[in-house]
PDB file of all heavy atoms in Angstrom:
ATOM      1  N   LEU R  15    -190.600  77.016 179.141  1.00 89.00           N
ATOM      2  CA  LEU R  15    -190.833  78.394 179.576  1.00 89.00           C
ATOM      3  C   LEU R  15    -191.741  79.142 178.600  1.00 89.00           C
ATOM      4  O   LEU R  15    -192.570  79.952 179.016  1.00 89.00           O
ATOM      5  CB  LEU R  15    -189.509  79.138 179.738  1.00 89.00           C
ATOM      6  CG  LEU R  15    -188.623  78.714 180.902  1.00 89.00           C
ATOM      7  CD1 LEU R  15    -187.269  79.412 180.828  1.00 89.00           C
ATOM      8  CD2 LEU R  15    -189.303  78.993 182.238  1.00 89.00           C
ATOM      9  N   LEU R  29    -194.395 103.070 174.773  1.00 92.00           N
ATOM     10  CA  LEU R  29    -193.110 103.712 174.999  1.00 92.00           C
ATOM     11  C   LEU R  29    -193.258 104.973 175.851  1.00 92.00           C
ATOM     12  O   LEU R  29    -192.395 105.269 176.671  1.00 92.00           O
ATOM     13  CB  LEU R  29    -192.457 104.042 173.654  1.00 92.00           C
ATOM     14  CG  LEU R  29    -190.987 104.408 173.675  1.00 92.00           C
ATOM     15  CD1 LEU R  29    -190.161 103.300 174.310  1.00 92.00           C
ATOM     16  CD2 LEU R  29    -190.493 104.681 172.272  1.00 92.00           C
ATOM     17  N   LYS R  33    -190.640 103.637 181.762  1.00 95.00           N
ATOM     18  CA  LYS R  33    -189.543 104.391 182.350  1.00 95.00           C
ATOM     19  C   LYS R  33    -188.206 103.677 182.110  1.00 95.00           C
ATOM     20  O   LYS R  33    -187.237 104.285 181.712  1.00 95.00           O
ATOM     21  CB  LYS R  33    -189.785 104.561 183.847  1.00 95.00           C
ATOM     22  CG  LYS R  33    -188.706 105.284 184.588  1.00 95.00           C
ATOM     23  CD  LYS R  33    -189.009 105.350 186.070  1.00 95.00           C
ATOM     24  CE  LYS R  33    -187.778 105.810 186.825  1.00 95.00           C
ATOM     25  NZ  LYS R  33    -187.871 105.580 188.251  1.00 95.00           N
ATOM     26  N   LEU R  54    -183.181 105.805 172.368  1.00 96.00           N
ATOM     27  CA  LEU R  54    -184.112 105.649 173.492  1.00 96.00           C
ATOM     28  C   LEU R  54    -183.758 106.588 174.645  1.00 96.00           C
ATOM     29  O   LEU R  54    -184.646 107.135 175.301  1.00 96.00           O
ATOM     30  CB  LEU R  54    -184.117 104.199 173.970  1.00 96.00           C
ATOM     31  CG  LEU R  54    -184.702 103.195 172.985  1.00 96.00           C
ATOM     32  CD1 LEU R  54    -184.449 101.767 173.460  1.00 96.00           C
ATOM     33  CD2 LEU R  54    -186.193 103.444 172.790  1.00 96.00           C
ATOM     34  N   THR R  77    -167.698  98.822 178.739  1.00 73.00           N
ATOM     35  CA  THR R  77    -169.117  99.040 178.479  1.00 73.00           C
ATOM     36  C   THR R  77    -169.899  98.829 179.773  1.00 73.00           C
ATOM     37  O   THR R  77    -169.513  98.015 180.607  1.00 73.00           O
ATOM     38  CB  THR R  77    -169.644  98.111 177.369  1.00 73.00           C
ATOM     39  OG1 THR R  77    -171.029  98.362 177.180  1.00 73.00           O
ATOM     40  CG2 THR R  77    -169.440  96.652 177.705  1.00 73.00           C
ATOM     41  N   ASP R  87    -169.600  82.389 181.154  1.00 94.00           N
ATOM     42  CA  ASP R  87    -170.824  82.673 181.910  1.00 94.00           C
ATOM     43  C   ASP R  87    -171.918  81.624 181.746  1.00 94.00           C
ATOM     44  O   ASP R  87    -173.037  81.813 182.221  1.00 94.00           O
ATOM     45  CB  ASP R  87    -171.384  84.050 181.518  1.00 94.00           C
ATOM     46  CG  ASP R  87    -170.443  85.172 181.912  1.00 94.00           C
ATOM     47  OD1 ASP R  87    -169.723  85.010 182.921  1.00 94.00           O
ATOM     48  OD2 ASP R  87    -170.411  86.204 181.214  1.00 94.00           O
ATOM     49  N   SER R 114    -181.889  89.892 170.027  1.00 92.00           N
ATOM     50  CA  SER R 114    -180.977  88.765 169.882  1.00 92.00           C
ATOM     51  C   SER R 114    -181.282  87.990 168.600  1.00 92.00           C
ATOM     52  O   SER R 114    -182.365  88.089 168.035  1.00 92.00           O
ATOM     53  CB  SER R 114    -181.046  87.847 171.097  1.00 92.00           C
ATOM     54  OG  SER R 114    -182.319  87.268 171.225  1.00 92.00           O
ATOM     55  N   TYR R 166    -194.388 100.304 166.949  1.00 91.00           N
ATOM     56  CA  TYR R 166    -195.506  99.704 167.680  1.00 91.00           C
ATOM     57  C   TYR R 166    -195.574 100.161 169.124  1.00 91.00           C
ATOM     58  O   TYR R 166    -196.657 100.372 169.671  1.00 91.00           O
ATOM     59  CB  TYR R 166    -195.452  98.173 167.589  1.00 91.00           C
ATOM     60  CG  TYR R 166    -195.819  97.676 166.214  1.00 91.00           C
ATOM     61  CD1 TYR R 166    -194.873  97.095 165.386  1.00 91.00           C
ATOM     62  CD2 TYR R 166    -197.111  97.822 165.728  1.00 91.00           C
ATOM     63  CE1 TYR R 166    -195.201  96.663 164.115  1.00 91.00           C
ATOM     64  CE2 TYR R 166    -197.459  97.398 164.454  1.00 91.00           C
ATOM     65  CZ  TYR R 166    -196.494  96.820 163.662  1.00 91.00           C
ATOM     66  OH  TYR R 166    -196.839  96.376 162.392  1.00 91.00           O
ATOM     67  N   ILE R 170    -199.050 101.857 170.811  1.00 78.00           N
ATOM     68  CA  ILE R 170    -199.907 101.279 171.837  1.00 78.00           C
ATOM     69  C   ILE R 170    -199.889 102.094 173.120  1.00 78.00           C
ATOM     70  O   ILE R 170    -198.936 102.793 173.428  1.00 78.00           O
ATOM     71  CB  ILE R 170    -199.536  99.802 172.153  1.00 78.00           C
ATOM     72  CG1 ILE R 170    -198.125  99.689 172.721  1.00 78.00           C
ATOM     73  CG2 ILE R 170    -199.705  98.930 170.935  1.00 78.00           C
ATOM     74  CD1 ILE R 170    -197.756  98.291 173.170  1.00 78.00           C
TER      75      ILE R 170
END
Side-chain angles (χ1 to χ4, degrees):
L15 290 173
L29 194 57
K33 178 182 168 195
L54 293 171
T77 179
D87 295 330
S114 64
Y166 288 111
I170 63 175

